Amino acid sequence: MLLHLSTWPEVEAYLERSQGIIIPIGSTEQHGPTGSIGTDAICAEAVARGVGNAIEVMVGPTINVGMALHHTSFPGTISLRPSTMILMIRDYISSLAKAGFTKFFFINGHGGNVATLKAAFSETYAYLADLNFPNAHLVRCQVSNWYMCASVYKLAKELYGNEEGNHATPSEVALTQYIYPEAIKQAPLSAEVGRGYPIYGAADFRRHYPDGRMGSNPALATPEHGKQFYDLAVKDLSNGCLEFLSAD
């Protein structure tokens, strides 16, 4: 059910029974001293593929780069500007809509993407309508954040309490450890960690969060926890995706 491993006749046959597609989206950004730079995309992709397999819905190629301008003072981060990302999402959806897809369920792994994604959806609806695009009125988009699933959020609080934090969290690091056990990293983590500062520009972010963590203690993460988070996210988002696809 992966679009990039399918042929065009296979996609054409799929569209005869379903017009829905899951699109994983994440980011390429620093995740503290022990978190992989690809964490957000890795998590979104794994969960999206799990959901696609569970409910037999096609999964599009992962969008690995998102809106992460505030992380660009850390080496390795790659970011799109919001305006660039809006146009990229618009073109992504429009290309698939031209083929016959109408329901776009984005599984997101990066909080910084949410506002821009919602703006991109509005831009896309208007763009398709202005073009008098066939079935423009049927195109629907939704973003669901795997880390905000009720069951995932509850487990993270049970396991980590306040040390879950807001970025480079043990829950997301645990999920990457489950997916890529060969890439588990160890590094000293200071007892003091920045928390509670608002997010502005990249230099200000690094000044307040010098090692990239936001109130988190990723040393608590384990691959076993990651498996739990994966199973919960796949179950919750499978239900959410089915509900979205069946709605008018």
Side-chain angles (χ1 to χ4, degrees):
M1 302 302 291
L2 301 178
L3 180 71
H4 70 285
L5 295 182
S6 303
T7 64
W8 73 260
E10 289 174 325
V11 176
E12 190 171 67
Y14 170 82
L15 284 164
E16 291 179 2
R17 69 170 180 85
S18 175
Q19 292 74 53
I21 187 167
I22 298 166
I23 301 177
I25 183 167
S27 184
T28 298
E29 64 184 46
Q30 69 82 20
H31 272 78
T34 60
S36 298
I37 286 173
T39 290
D40 291 343
I42 290 167
C43 293
E45 179 176 86
V47 172
R49 290 187 178 190
V51 172
N53 286 335
I55 61 175
E56 297 186 342
V57 172
M58 185 162 282
V59 179
T62 302
I63 300 173
N64 291 284
V65 178
M67 206 304 289
L69 292 174
H70 50 294
H71 291 295
T72 53
S73 285
F74 294 87
T77 296
I78 304 172
S79 180
L80 300 176
R81 294 179 181 275
S83 54
T84 304
M85 184 173 164
I86 287 170
L87 292 178
M88 184 268 290
I89 294 294
R90 186 198 73 183
D91 288 352
Y92 202 103
I93 294 170
S94 298
S95 297
L96 292 169
K98 185 176 182 179
F101 290 96
T102 59
K103 295 288 189 75
F104 300 87
F105 190 77
F106 284 75
I107 292 182
N108 177 49
H110 172 49
N113 286 340
V114 175
T116 304
L117 273 174
K118 290 182 177 180
F121 298 161
S122 295
E123 175 80 18
T124 302
Y125 299 145
Y127 174 75
L128 294 176
D130 289 346
L131 288 179
N132 293 317
F133 198 88
N135 295 328
H137 64 291
L138 297 178
V139 172
R140 300 284 187 272
C141 304
Q142 179 172 307
V143 56
S144 292
N145 307 305
W146 77 266
Y147 51 88
M148 288 302 294
C149 292
S151 60
V152 169
Y153 186 83
K154 180 174 182 289
L155 179 62
K157 289 302 181 183
E158 290 173 356
L159 291 174
Y160 313 126
N162 290 335
E163 292 186 280
E164 167 70 354
N166 299 106
H167 181 67
T169 63
S171 60
E172 61 184 344
V173 170
L175 183 48
T176 65
Q177 290 179 348
Y178 167 62
I179 300 164
Y180 288 109
E182 71 276 16
I184 295 174
K185 308 294 174 66
Q186 303 292 335
L189 297 175
S190 63
E192 294 294 322
V193 58
R195 65 173 71 235
Y197 298 102
I199 296 174
Y200 297 111
D204 185 72
F205 185 95
R206 181 147 190 182
R207 182 163 54 252
H208 287 115
Y209 303 104
D211 71 354
R213 294 180 295 148
M214 297 178 70
S216 64
N217 182 8
L220 300 175
T222 70
E224 292 74 24
H225 291 168
K227 175 65 162 58
Q228 292 178 264
F229 287 121
Y230 172 82
D231 289 341
L232 291 171
V234 167
K235 181 179 180 181
D236 277 15
L237 290 178
S238 293
N239 292 333
C241 186
L242 286 173
E243 183 177 345
F244 169 71
L245 295 178
S246 63
D248 293 334

